[in-house]
Amino acid sequence: MSDRPDSLPLDAADMRRRLLDAIRRGASMEDIANLQPTRIQNAEAAIQALKDGNARFFSGQGGRADVGANERRAQIMEQTPFAAVLACSDSRVPVELVFDVGLGNLFVVRVAGNVVGESGLGTLEYATEHLDVHLIVVMGHEGCGAVAAALMPEDALAREPENLQRLIRRIQPSVVELPRIRDKKARMREAVLSNVRHQVHLLRQQPVIRAAEERGQIRVIGAFYEIGSGAVDFLTEEEDLRL
C-alpha cells in the first residue's frame, strides 16, 4: 500500500490536512481538538462505521495513519469514542486495526474469552455513563483458547491456576449444552458464538447497561472475528443474540 496521504481513507486524509493547517496558523490545543470529525450520533451509524472499517481491513484497503503528533494533539482535550468493545486479549485480534479506526474512536476492554467480569463491567459502565458511547460490542474470535479451555474435562481444568479457573468458569455456562457437531472447526465457532451471546446476555442484565439500552442511548450487540479472512460477522438482531 502506498504511503501517500491520498491512499488513506478520505476522512483521515482530510483530517490530516486540516490539522496541519491549524498548526501552521498557531492554533491552540483546544482549537486543534475542535477540529475532530463530527461525532457519530447513534447506534446504527456506529454499527455501519464498524462494518465499513472492517470491509476496508479485510479487503486490504485499511491502514489508518492518524497517529502522528498532530493527530495526537487533537485528542488532548477529551476522548469521544463512538463505541465500546469487549474483546479477547488474543494478540491476533487487534481491535482498532480490525475496524480500521483512528485514535479516540473506540473504548476497548480486552480480557481472555471476552468475559464479563467486575473490572470489565465497571469499565463499560464508565463508557456508558461518562463517554456517551452509542454501542457496546462483545466480540469473540476464531480459535479462542479461553473458550477451548471451557470445553476441557473437569480434571484438566482443575490443574489450571486458580484465577484462570475462575475466568474459564465464566464461559462454561455458555458451552455446557453445546450441540453435538462433528467438525471441530464448526464446533469451536459455535462455542465461541454461544459465549458471545452469553456475555451479551449478562451485560444486558446489569442495571446501568440495561437502563441505557431501554432509554435508547446504546445498543449491545455481538460479533465474531475470523482470523483467517479478517472479516467480522455482526450479531445485531434479537434472533442473532438469542441464547
Side-chain angles (χ1 to χ4, degrees), residues 122-136:
T123 304
L124 292 173
E125 288 178 343
Y126 173 78
T128 302
E129 293 291 284
H130 299 287
L131 298 181
D132 194 29
V133 298
H134 298 295
L135 185 70
I136 296 178

Side-chain angles (χ1 to χ4, degrees), residues 10 25 51 87 91 94 115 136 139 166 188 190 194 202 211 220 224 234 236-237 241-242:
L10 180 60
R25 295 195 306 270
K51 287 182 175 180
S91 61
V115 299
I136 296 178
M139 187 169 76
R166 289 200 186 101
M188 268 303 301
E190 187 58 34
S194 183
L202 292 178
V220 183
F224 177 86
F234 290 83
T236 59
E237 305 303 322
L241 295 169
R242 183 168 56 86

Side-chain angles (χ1 to χ4, degrees), residues 40-203:
I40 289 173
Q41 297 295 325
N42 55 57
E44 286 65 35
I47 293 170
Q48 192 59 53
L50 295 182
K51 287 182 175 180
D52 292 344
N54 180 244
R56 292 192 299 270
F57 174 74
F58 78 74
S59 66
Q61 301 302 310
R64 295 294 294 262
D66 50 348
V67 292
N70 295 333
E71 288 75 21
R72 292 195 300 272
R73 288 169 185 156
Q75 303 293 324
I76 287 175
M77 302 303 293
E78 62 177 347
Q79 60 169 321
T80 55
F82 63 81
V85 181
L86 172 59
C88 184
S89 296
D90 194 299
S91 61
R92 301 167 295 175
V93 189
V95 178
E96 288 86 354
L97 295 181
V98 166
F99 291 117
D100 193 37
V101 296
L103 297 173
N105 291 149
L106 297 181
F107 193 75
V108 181
V109 180
R110 297 185 65 173
V111 59
N114 41 273
V115 299
V116 176
E118 182 178 340
S119 297
L121 177 59
T123 304
L124 292 173
E125 288 178 343
Y126 173 78
T128 302
E129 293 291 284
H130 299 287
L131 298 181
D132 194 29
V133 298
H134 298 295
L135 185 70
I136 296 178
V137 184
V138 178
M139 187 169 76
H141 68 91
E142 179 182 9
C144 180
V147 173
L151 295 168
M152 295 191 306
E154 186 61 32
D155 60 338
L157 179 57
R159 293 194 291 270
E160 297 294 340
E162 179 182 357
N163 291 308
L164 179 54
Q165 286 188 46
R166 289 200 186 101
L167 184 146
I168 293 170
R169 294 193 191 284
R170 292 180 183 272
I171 301 172
Q172 281 183 319
S174 68
V175 299
V176 68
E177 295 183 359
L178 196 68
R180 289 185 177 274
I181 303 173
R182 182 174 298 180
D183 183 88
K184 291 183 178 179
K185 184 175 181 180
R187 178 176 170 80
M188 268 303 301
R189 179 186 173 92
E190 187 58 34
V192 170
L193 285 169
S194 183
N195 180 50
V196 167
R197 294 184 180 105
H198 179 65
Q199 303 304 328
V200 167
H201 175 74
L202 292 178
L203 270 182

